[in-house]
Amino acid sequence: MISDYKDDPDSCGDERTNIAAMVSLFAALVGLFPVAIVFGAIGYVEVGGRQHERGSGIALAGLILGSLELIALIVVPLVLLLVR
């Protein structure tokens, strides 16, 4: 039996990826870590509370990459100063 797209409860046609999550990942890949951290947190919280959206992994990836960029920005200059 062929099911209609609209009647199929397993289809995810009406789910969409959270915009804040996508902005977070893009900002992290470009190097804008403050934007990545803020939008990653917003996107992760929004996806958790909405049934029709997905993207918690994308938001988490942007959040983690943004945090790693911030840590690298702090640690690398300190290491370079201490090696001197």
Side-chain angles (χ1 to χ4, degrees):
M1 182 173 142
I2 299 174
S3 64
D4 264 342
Y5 179 72
K6 293 179 183 177
D7 296 334
D8 189 7
D10 294 329
S11 73
C12 60
D14 55 348
E15 286 186 4
R16 58 181 174 223
T17 305
N18 186 281
I19 298 295
M22 291 190 292
V23 168
S24 171
L25 184 59
F26 177 76
L29 293 174
V30 173
L32 302 170
F33 64 90
V35 175
I37 293 170
V38 169
F39 278 95
I42 291 170
Y44 191 74
V45 170
E46 283 183 351
V47 171
R50 297 180 181 168
Q51 297 296 323
H52 64 279
E53 283 190 339
R54 60 182 178 201
S56 63
I58 296 172
L60 193 59
L63 188 59
I64 290 171
L65 287 174
S67 299
L68 289 175
E69 290 171 6
L70 178 62
I71 291 169
L73 185 69
I74 294 170
V75 170
V76 170
L78 289 176
V79 169
L80 291 175
L81 285 174
L82 292 176
V83 169
R84 235 174 145 194

